[in-house]
Amino acid sequence: MTQTETNTQDQEELRLLRDSVQTLFDRAGGSGRTRKLRDADTGFSKEMIGELAEAGVFGVAVPEENGGLGMGLAAAGVIAEEAGRVLAPEPVVATIGLVTGLLRRLCPDHRLLEMVIAGETVLATAWQERGPTGVAASRSCRYADGKLTGAKAWVGGAVEADGFLVVAEGGDGTVLAYVEAGAAGLSVDGRQQADGSALGELSFSGAAAGCLAEGPDVEAALAGAVNDATALAAAELVGLSGRAFEIVLDYVKTREQFDKPIGAFQVIQHRAVDLHVMQEVAEAGVREALSVMDDTAVDPQMHARQASRAKARAGAAAKKITREAIQLHGAVGYTDEFDIGLYLNRALVLSAWLGDDAYHRRLWLDAREAEEAAG
């Protein structure tokens, strides 16, 4: 098979995957389902988790020999885009990027990976801690004698999770530990974000936990998983902003002033074209980044640069497009009854998760300067 035939086959497989996931989300209720779950304060749907698992969503980037589909990050990006289009509250990106990203790198034969892929359990990843001016530079959370002590911050999906993957310091280096949600000595303090999703703070006082992996490999795996999740969050933002642009385009075509659609006015057309170009550039950048990150021969530093590039572009585009969409809707854009407000709130939360566009632009520039200095 020639390279051209291989690329065509790959694109056809991604198209079929997109159609399948899109149908699944549409059948579940699209963005309207997100509003219902938010209003009911139920987080996400466990039933939907089961359906996504049955479709192979959570194992898409896991090698086939470990029970996954082995389709890589480009395929995971397709799923993330579709999740973004319907504002799916389920932790799709966090599970594919962080949870399975850590488990497949560190303990691919552990029963937990199989359970996550099958949708039998939903895990959240706790690796960050608070410091005096933000994220702490070093960890104070400790793992010793099968118990965790300390605290973790900004844990996405903490309230609904069945268990936690916790990165802590152990006697022989960094440890990836697992603790069940209801374990004695573990307390979860949750709060709701602007888009209705939950963020939690974990406190451990001798909570019983199992050691999944220990040593320098944990740090490398964590860096890789965070890069994966960052690039997939960018893909989710691309899906979100793409749908927001479609919504505002439909609105300006039908909303009339002075006896004609407001989209007939040149100033509106120019703004719409600017948003379209921004969306296209972000979409192309994210898909290219995911494709490069699927190449295992590429240096891990390049993976980090690609992830930062993708998140910077997608985050800036999503914020710009959703804010402009609110403006183009006029006063009704601020009302909760219009879906466009949900897209703005999700864009603000998701663009900040794992670092906003300014943060990732700085990371990308620092990496390039370091590379140039090294010759």
Side-chain angles (χ1 to χ4, degrees):
M1 184 178 289
T2 66
Q3 186 62 46
T4 301
E5 290 172 331
T6 301
N7 291 340
T8 302
Q9 182 177 327
D10 290 345
Q11 290 303 313
E12 179 62 11
E13 288 177 354
L14 293 183
R15 187 189 66 76
L16 292 173
L17 177 65
R18 185 184 298 280
D19 289 346
S20 173
V21 176
Q22 194 176 64
T23 300
L24 188 61
F25 280 130
D26 286 346
R27 195 173 63 220
S31 58
R33 183 177 66 91
T34 299
R35 185 190 297 281
K36 288 179 183 175
L37 290 171
R38 183 206 61 179
D39 293 346
D41 198 23
T42 54
F44 56 79
S45 164
K46 289 288 180 74
E47 183 181 352
M48 190 63 191
I49 289 286
E51 292 189 33
L52 290 169
E54 192 173 340
V57 164
F58 301 124
V60 67
V62 177
E64 291 182 81
E65 58 267 30
N66 300 125
L69 298 180
M71 296 180 72
L73 286 179
V78 167
I79 294 170
E81 283 186 28
E82 293 306 315
R85 285 182 62 83
V86 298
L87 306 174
E90 287 73 25
V92 174
V93 165
T95 301
I96 297 174
L98 292 174
V99 175
T100 68
L102 281 168
L103 294 176
R104 70 182 166 85
R105 284 179 170 92
L106 292 170
C107 45
D109 297 324
H110 198 283
R111 166 74 176 143
L112 271 179
L113 180 57
E114 182 183 338
M115 292 173 68
V116 170
I117 292 173
E120 295 172 9
T121 187
V122 179
L123 305 184
T125 308
W127 84 99
Q128 294 175 305
E129 297 178 17
R130 289 187 183 278
T133 58
V135 180
S138 60
R139 297 188 188 93
S140 59
C141 185
R142 308 288 302 178
Y143 176 84
D145 300 326
K147 296 184 184 300
L148 281 168
T149 54
K152 289 290 178 183
W154 306 294
V155 182
V159 177
E160 301 93 349
D162 299 314
F164 301 95
L165 298 180
V166 182
V167 179
E169 287 302 311
D172 294 320
T174 309
V175 171
L176 179 67
Y178 169 70
V179 58
E180 293 185 355
L186 165 64
S187 65
V188 181
D189 182 15
R191 61 181 170 83
Q192 196 175 49
Q193 302 186 95
D195 64 344
S197 63
L199 202 63
E201 309 277 317
L202 307 185
S203 295
F204 306 100
S205 56
C211 177
L212 299 176
E214 187 170 15
D217 287 349
V218 177
E219 292 289 356
L222 177 62
V226 170
N227 287 338
D228 291 353
T230 300
L232 292 176
E236 188 172 354
L237 282 164
V238 161
L240 178 159
S241 56
R243 179 58 189 145
F245 180 67
E246 291 172 1
I247 292 173
V248 75
L249 209 57
D250 287 341
Y251 185 77
V252 300
K253 286 178 180 175
T254 55
R255 173 76 169 90
E256 292 191 356
Q257 279 191 337
F258 307 110
D259 296 328
K260 58 182 178 181
I262 61 174
F265 295 102
Q266 197 173 47
V267 65
I268 300 296
Q269 292 174 0
H270 286 174
R271 290 172 72 174
V273 168
D274 287 344
L275 298 183
H276 176 67
V277 170
M278 182 171 271
Q279 171 66 19
E280 290 288 306
V281 170
E283 186 176 289
V286 170
R287 291 179 182 177
E288 180 188 6
L290 288 168
S291 179
V292 172
M293 293 173 70
D294 266 333
D295 187 349
T296 54
V298 172
D299 188 283
Q301 292 300 320
M302 178 59 79
H303 285 203
R305 283 180 58 186
Q306 291 293 331
S308 289
R309 173 172 168 249
K311 187 75 189 307
R313 282 192 174 177
K319 287 189 289 186
K320 174 72 173 176
I321 291 170
T322 51
R323 283 170 173 160
E324 285 283 312
I326 292 286
Q327 290 291 320
L328 291 170
H329 270 74
V332 298
Y334 290 98
T335 62
D336 192 57
E337 288 78 6
F338 275 68
D339 280 353
I340 198 64
L342 301 180
Y343 282 83
L344 172 64
N345 289 336
R346 178 62 63 86
L348 294 176
V349 169
L350 192 55
S351 62
W353 185 54
L354 301 174
D356 64 8
D357 49 304
Y359 170 79
H360 281 288
R361 203 172 291 116
R362 188 170 67 249
L363 284 186
W364 189 89
L365 286 170
D366 289 347
R368 192 178 69 169
E369 288 177 1
E371 187 177 291
E372 289 175 350

